[in-house]
Amino acid sequence: MNDDILARPDNPIPHLDGNVAAGVLMELFGTDISSALGRCENCAAVRVLADTVVYVDAPGLVIRCRSCSAVLMRVVECPDRYWVDLSGLSNLQIEKPAPTG
Amino acid sequence: MWRVADVVSTQTETATARTLGLRIHGLMSSVAGQHVDIRLTAADGYTAVRSYSIGRSGSGDMIEVTVDELPDGEVSPYLVENVQVGDQLEVRGPVGGWFVWREENPRPVQLIAGGSGVVPLMAMIRAHEESASTSAFHLLYSVRSPETMIYRDELAERAASSSKLAVEYVYTRAVPEGWDRSPKRLDETTLLEHILPASDAPDVFVCGQTIFVETVADWLVAAGYETSTIRTERYGGTGGTS
């Protein structure tokens, strides 16, 4: 992965995928949720977060459903806070870590 | 969440790619296929964060990332040209729990790389080679030319000496001397000729630029590979299927 890009005319599909959002989502959720399942509020598709369509050239991250393109999540980082819009997700299934010891 | 990493080694891979060995303070282990976010902060406080795939993972606090320089990049030129052993970087991760290969996975694996998309797949190859796993690993590496191939010597050596790894190459712009085919962009027929058949039910990992990954994934689905067995990771770049 290397997301060091800017949108440009000769790069017709400047989107990435949910893998690129794993770091910031780990910061927000306290655990890696890239393999969590999210249900799209718009089309009801249930897909792994890593397999979403992610635009990184907006003022924040825009995470869209791969089935219907609806916005699932938006994350904007400001100097003193995150703004998180989860309204496009009707639920998230986050697997618990395996018990240790 | 952000941690300090010491740059402990650097190695030039190609004219534009370099591997950085990083010791991440407090890291216990990493999984093959994961990546790290690297944050650079300018003197005026401006920050830029980018994700880079890990090419060598495992137990302990050491990882290697291989970075391919993008001409207009804000971060990659610094990592490829300026960073030196002894420097420190801010990192978040390793992260990623889906585009990963674990030793317990008994299924055959087909890896498909476009250009520098080979980096996380190399982490899987190294982990598999060093594990007791006997599953079959196949890599199809689509690359512009022999000179732009990352890990060229190691891949050739591993493929020659390993009984569980096979590597196939597709050259899209220039071929090595003595190669029996002309350079050609990867197409559906060439892809399917060079990978494990759908009937083997492999786990498939595809990594490359967005257009490469989406084109290959569509061909795989059309050819009968189960959608649930195809895992993808896209990175940005400047167009073209490598």
Side-chain angles (χ1 to χ4, degrees), chain A:
Chain A
M1 171 184 306
N2 184 334
D3 62 328
D4 198 346
I5 56 163
L6 296 169
R8 48 198 293 164
D10 61 350
N11 186 3
I13 313 177
H15 65 264
L16 298 173
D17 57 42
N19 294 297
V20 76
V24 70
L25 293 177
M26 181 173 76
E27 195 156 333
L28 296 170
F29 285 80
T31 185
D32 188 335
I33 63 164
S34 50
S35 58
L37 294 169
R39 182 180 183 276
C40 175
E41 173 72 16
N42 183 57
C43 77
V46 177
R47 303 185 74 117
V48 171
L49 281 192
D51 196 30
T52 54
V53 177
V54 174
Y55 292 83
V56 295
D57 53 349
L61 281 182
V62 178
I63 301 176
R64 290 179 178 269
C65 174
R66 188 166 296 284
S67 299
C68 75
S69 297
V71 173
L72 300 173
M73 306 172 65
R74 293 180 296 170
V75 179
V76 176
E77 184 174 357
C78 297
D80 65 338
R81 72 193 60 201
Y82 286 103
W83 288 78
V84 185
D85 172 8
L86 301 172
S87 60
L89 279 172
S90 45
N91 64 52
L92 268 177
Q93 300 174 45
I94 303 171
E95 207 173 318
K96 291 181 182 175
T100 51

